[in-house]
Amino acid sequence: MTALSLAAPGKNYTIKWNICRCDAEQEMKQVGLCPGETIYLLNSYFGNVIVCVNGKKIALSKELAFYIKV
């Protein structure tokens, strides 16, 4: 298991768990970033990531991506 911010781009990953702060948790569930969801890591730039989940492209800061474990 590794942090999403450290994962290699161009691969599919399954979110194992999410330890982000409570206020961001609800927003992440709304876009589909919850445990068990499969995501595709499009790109990573200095830890900031762009993921594709449920047909949507979402950019995440490296701080938030660090708390998502895949």
Side-chain angles (χ1 to χ4, degrees):
M1 188 167 14
T2 187
L4 183 60
S5 60
L6 302 175
K11 296 182 180 180
N12 286 316
Y13 293 97
T14 301
I15 298 176
K16 303 294 183 196
W17 48 278
N18 182 351
I19 55 171
C20 70
R21 52 187 202 277
C22 293
D23 58 338
E25 185 176 356
Q26 183 64 26
E27 294 172 11
M28 293 178 66
K29 284 182 181 178
Q30 289 177 349
V31 296
L33 291 172
C34 50
E37 191 70 40
T38 300
I39 60 172
Y40 180 76
L41 183 56
L42 289 172
N43 204 352
S44 177
Y45 187 72
F46 293 108
N48 301 306
V49 298
I50 301 173
V51 297
C52 185
V53 58
N54 296 331
K56 300 177 203 171
K57 293 178 182 137
I58 302 167
L60 301 171
S61 69
K62 66 180 176 181
E63 291 85 12
L64 190 57
F66 182 76
Y67 292 114
I68 299 172
K69 306 300 180 184
V70 294

